[in-house]
Amino acid sequence: MKKKIISLVVMIAVAAVVLGLRVDRVVVNTIQEWRMPLAGKVIVIDPGHGGADGGASYETILEKNLTLTISRQLQAYLEEQGAIVKLTREKDMDLADEATKGYRNRKREDLKHRLDLLNDKDNDLFISIHLNAIPQTQWSGAQTFYTNYHDDNERIARFVQHELVRHLPKNDRRAKPIDGIYVLSHAKTPGILVEAGFLSNPEERYWLLQDEYQQSVAASIYLGILRHYSDEETIVEEY
């Protein structure tokens, strides 16, 4: 019973944070008396690309800029709930050494350094954020990817995807296992990769440039993480 009351109080606080509402003083005091689900959790957010590597693009719109914006918004949500948040990059840069020459060499070194940051033994979870772009313009929707190398990966992916479907328009994608992604395949820390949408889709591209939509993406990931660390059972049904 106590767990149910705590979960209810936490969810009230979450709704208030996400929607920008005022939380009643009694609720705030109650939350402070109980340990928040994310308190002390070390979560790494990995904004995809950076520096010379712009990632997916459409004209002057670059993936690297949007992933950083969404990552910072996600960071704010997580820190509100007591998480210790680290970003693999905090500005437009790659993680290769300054002396490293050549795009391919820098890209290889960048990925290795990202992986080193994700695999720090103190980390509890990582979230890598990217965007898609393909020649066909009809495809849209945010999607979460995971590997089966950790038991928690599918659980967190399903919760995050469920929230992305609930809060983003015209999105019916499902969490999906994937191989061949360097960071995911070599990560020792539990984590997922979120493709926040398609820059190649005109409608979704428009929404991805809007502040409120970016906040909705960040809030959806945040809510999925919160559900992962709650007592809720893993989502097993198709949605």
Side-chain angles (χ1 to χ4, degrees):
M1 182 65 179
K2 182 178 180 181
K3 287 184 178 180
K4 291 183 178 180
I5 295 173
I6 294 174
S7 297
L8 178 60
V9 173
V10 169
M11 292 310 294
I12 292 172
V14 168
V17 171
V18 173
L19 300 176
L21 302 176
R22 175 181 176 272
V23 184
D24 187 88
R25 184 180 301 274
V26 174
V27 174
V28 172
N29 290 340
T30 304
I31 291 172
Q32 290 174 344
E33 292 175 4
W34 283 319
R35 190 173 184 273
M36 301 297 289
L38 302 184
K41 298 294 184 184
V42 180
I43 300 175
V44 184
I45 305 174
D46 178 35
H49 308 281
D53 178 12
S57 65
Y58 179 83
E59 296 180 348
T60 60
I61 304 168
L62 299 177
E63 176 183 2
K64 66 176 183 177
N65 297 327
L66 295 177
T67 59
L68 184 57
T69 299
I70 294 171
S71 294
R72 285 172 173 160
Q73 292 166 338
L74 175 58
Q75 178 184 18
Y77 284 133
L78 293 171
E79 289 178 342
E80 284 283 341
Q81 294 299 314
I84 300 168
V85 181
K86 300 185 289 186
L87 270 65
T88 57
R89 67 178 180 96
E90 298 188 8
K91 59 182 180 179
D92 181 14
M93 59 177 286
D94 64 21
L95 275 63
D97 295 334
E98 186 175 346
T100 302
K101 304 299 182 182
Y103 177 83
R104 296 180 70 177
N105 290 335
R106 293 193 66 84
K107 181 64 177 178
R108 188 181 302 111
E109 195 169 293
D110 169 78
L111 288 173
K112 182 180 182 302
H113 286 173
R114 286 177 196 263
L115 186 63
D116 289 342
L117 291 174
L118 300 186
N119 281 339
D120 187 296
K121 62 181 178 59
D122 293 329
N123 297 339
D124 294 294
L125 179 72
F126 77 85
I127 307 292
S128 188
I129 298 179
H130 287 259
L131 286 100
N132 256 319
I134 58 176
Q136 297 81 9
T137 62
Q138 71 268 31
W139 302 108
S140 65
Q143 189 166 20
T144 307
F145 294 92
Y146 64 94
T147 66
N148 291 312
Y149 302 148
H150 297 280
D151 292 339
D152 283 346
N153 287 357
E154 182 174 2
R155 174 180 167 83
I156 176 62
R158 283 180 173 266
F159 281 131
V160 169
Q161 188 63 36
H162 191 259
E163 294 299 326
L164 289 168
V165 169
R166 285 211 307 159
H167 298 289
L168 302 182
K170 299 181 180 179
N171 187 19
D172 59 358
R173 291 182 175 273
R174 297 171 180 172
K176 182 178 179 181
I178 192 170
D179 287 317
I181 304 298
Y182 179 81
V183 169
L184 289 184
S185 297
H186 294 83
K188 298 176 182 177
T189 303
I192 59 172
L193 184 148
V194 178
E195 293 280 0
F198 286 76
L199 290 176
S200 47
N201 179 277
E203 182 178 1
E204 193 160 63
R205 181 171 63 248
Y206 168 81
W207 287 114
L208 284 165
L209 295 175
Q210 309 306 311
D211 290 343
E212 289 187 3
Y213 192 87
Q214 294 167 2
Q215 290 169 6
S216 293
V217 173
S220 297
I221 299 171
Y222 158 66
L223 288 169
I225 293 171
L226 195 67
R227 292 176 68 184
H228 168 64
Y229 281 115
S230 72
D231 294 324
E232 184 175 347
E233 293 184 2
T234 301
I235 298 174
V236 294
E237 74 276 12
E238 299 294 345
Y239 48 86

